[in-house]
Amino acid sequence: MEHTWRWFGDRDPITLAQVRQTGATGVVTALHDIPNGEVWPVEAIRARQAQVAAAGLVWSVVESVPVHEDVKRGGPLRDRAVAAYQQTLRNLGACGIDVVCYNFMPVLDWSRTDLAYPLEDGTWALRFDADQLAAFDLFLLRRPGAAAEYGPEQTARARAVLDALDDAGRARLVDTILLGLPGSEERYSLGEFRAALATYAEVDADALRANLASFLRDVVPVAQEAGVRMAIHPDDPPRPLFGLPRVVSTAQDAQHLLDAAPSPANGLTLCVGSYGSRPDNDVVALTRRFAEQIFFVHLRSVRLQDGGRSFYEAPHIAGDADMVAVIGALVAEERRRERDGGPRIPMRPDHGQRMLDDQFRETYPGYSLIGRLKGLAELRGVEQAVRRLLPVG
């Protein structure tokens, strides 16, 4: 597999020179300064390519070209935003960039409640705690209708969480959820977040799924013509949040979106940790089932807690997912593609722990240098072992 590294541009505390030393050959990045719904100009794309190439690397995958909220909710700017997305795909294809990772999560991108959850070995991990999220939703956000969505037991647990937090802890929880995590384009105050949620009041799962299908029917043919493969990222976490539907959470969801616009340009980002955050998802079976449609891979793993309601980011090969079996399925698919002339499979480590010197330097949450370096080394070792042991043919 092609080994890549997520880089957030010039504001990333980790430099391209450091990325080069990790063993990665490809960079996964985006033009984060361009507003959602606007066209990425060819000149800006080529400038970023040249910047990456000057460091001895290649811009391998776009992550992400964000989908405008009016596309997701069917708002008045929907057609304009889709047209801009189509032109961006044409421009990326003209520059030779052939994989675009994106998501279709309403309002918020990926969500966590703790950015420095201490593990037994002294490292810090990202964590999603269902009771902390409920405490925020019920008592800090005070979302209309929220009380009806939580049972008495979870409400009591949420109240206990809130009561245990001082003012600084409550502010930290609000900031963690609303200020956006790396890759997110959204930043909200409590009032802005309530207003954004209200715009989805009439959008249920069926409507969101229909809007995704409509988007795919519009952009996938353009992507195919431009030589670009669309790789949708699953919901993270893969469940409804704040009354918002989510429709890329299960194997059934993945099949639905692939069927909505059948094309060699319509495929998946296999995020092992996202799919693995639901106990009812068999990530190994999902990898084997959709192997031909997997265009990009996030090799990260989680440990489920509280009966699967909560989770934390585990070391890359020490989570609940059978990472050896996942990589084995990907290597088997890559060999098939090598034989039949199919495209490469870029992969990257994701959400490494903060450890050693990373605990004393500024890094984006989940995107530490040493934690991801350790993860990439482990994953490359698994891949090499699988390649030697997996029968050819």
Side-chain angles (χ1 to χ4, degrees):
M1 291 179 280
E2 180 187 12
H3 303 150
T4 68
W5 188 275
R6 184 79 182 269
W7 184 65
F8 293 97
D10 293 327
R11 289 173 290 183
D12 196 323
I14 297 170
T15 67
L16 288 172
Q18 291 171 322
V19 173
R20 178 75 185 276
Q21 296 179 51
T22 67
T25 57
V27 167
V28 177
T29 190
L31 302 182
H32 296 289
D33 56 320
I34 297 180
N36 294 1
E38 300 298 324
V39 175
W40 290 14
V42 168
E43 297 78 10
I45 297 168
R46 292 199 187 282
R48 176 57 61 84
Q49 281 182 303
Q51 181 183 18
V52 172
L57 300 159
V58 62
W59 186 358
S60 176
V61 177
V62 173
E63 186 176 354
S64 302
V65 180
V67 180
H68 194 279
E69 291 299 320
D70 269 16
V71 176
K72 301 172 191 175
R73 63 191 167 213
L77 299 179
R78 187 264 180 200
D79 291 346
R80 178 185 181 279
V82 167
Y85 207 101
Q86 291 170 325
Q87 189 58 48
T88 294
L89 293 176
R90 295 185 186 100
N91 292 350
L92 288 167
C95 295
I97 300 176
D98 62 353
V99 179
V100 169
C101 175
Y102 68 105
N103 73 72
F104 214 76
M105 289 179 268
V107 183
L108 281 182
D109 204 304
W110 61 294
S111 300
R112 298 293 184 270
T113 59
D114 191 340
L115 304 182
Y117 178 64
L119 303 183
E120 290 183 358
D121 61 1
T123 60
W124 304 337
L126 302 179
R127 184 169 185 253
F128 176 88
D129 184 289
D131 294 334
Q132 289 181 354
L133 191 89
F136 167 83
D137 196 10
L138 288 166
F139 308 120
L140 299 176
L141 179 64
R142 297 186 178 92
R143 176 173 60 88
E149 298 175 17
Y150 296 97
E153 291 185 5
Q154 187 167 17
T155 299
R157 290 195 300 268
R159 171 56 72 180
V161 166
L162 186 77
D163 291 343
L165 294 175
D166 58 16
D167 289 344
R170 295 182 184 190
R172 186 166 52 250
L173 180 60
V174 171
D175 289 348
T176 298
I177 293 172
L178 294 187
L179 292 186
L181 294 167
S184 302
E185 305 299 324
E186 304 84 5
R187 304 289 188 273
Y188 297 106
S189 67
L190 281 171
E192 290 168 343
F193 188 49
R194 292 188 195 100
L197 293 177
T199 67
Y200 279 86
E202 304 301 322
V203 181
D204 61 10
D206 288 339
L208 184 64
R209 189 173 288 109
N211 291 342
L212 172 57
S214 177
F215 170 72
L216 291 172
R217 286 191 290 268
D218 282 341
V219 302
V220 165
V222 174
Q224 183 173 344
E225 184 178 353
V228 174
R229 285 168 287 136
M230 300 286 292
I232 194 166
H233 189 286
D235 303 323
D236 186 7
R239 66 192 71 176
L241 297 180
F242 306 115
L244 296 168
R246 290 193 161 185
V247 295
V248 191
S249 296
T250 66
Q252 182 180 3
D253 292 337
Q255 190 64 62
H256 187 277
L257 69 92
L258 293 172
D259 291 342
S263 166
N266 186 18
L268 308 174
T269 293
L270 174 69
C271 182
V272 177
S274 293
Y275 281 118
S277 299
R278 279 182 65 129
D280 56 338
N281 279 337
D282 183 333
V283 182
V284 175
L286 190 148
T287 305
R288 291 170 177 159
R289 173 177 173 179
F290 295 110
E292 293 187 29
Q293 287 83 33
I294 293 172
F295 298 152
F296 183 36
V297 182
H298 291 178
L299 292 177
R300 52 173 274 257
S301 196
V302 301
R303 282 281 184 186
L304 297 175
Q305 299 174 307
D306 307 328
R309 299 184 312 112
S310 305
F311 62 87
Y312 68 87
E313 305 279 356
H316 287 76
I317 59 173
D320 291 330
D322 186 345
M323 194 63 78
V324 175
V326 169
I327 291 176
L330 292 170
V331 167
E333 170 60 16
E334 190 169 47
R335 284 180 173 171
R336 185 199 66 79
R337 295 186 190 188
E338 291 168 353
R339 184 178 65 248
D340 299 342
R344 75 199 188 288
I345 303 178
M347 64 78 103
R348 69 172 178 85
D350 202 7
H351 299 182
Q353 284 70 46
R354 287 185 68 183
M355 58 191 302
L356 303 173
D357 288 354
D358 280 338
Q359 294 181 342
F360 305 99
R361 67 156 62 97
E362 179 187 1
T363 60
Y364 284 158
Y367 289 91
S368 59
L369 175 60
I370 299 173
R372 282 189 291 164
L373 174 63
K374 174 176 178 281
L376 179 59
E378 292 172 338
L379 296 167
R380 293 174 73 186
V382 172
E383 182 189 353
Q384 288 301 312
V386 166
R387 285 190 175 279
R388 289 179 180 236
L389 298 174
L390 190 68
V392 178

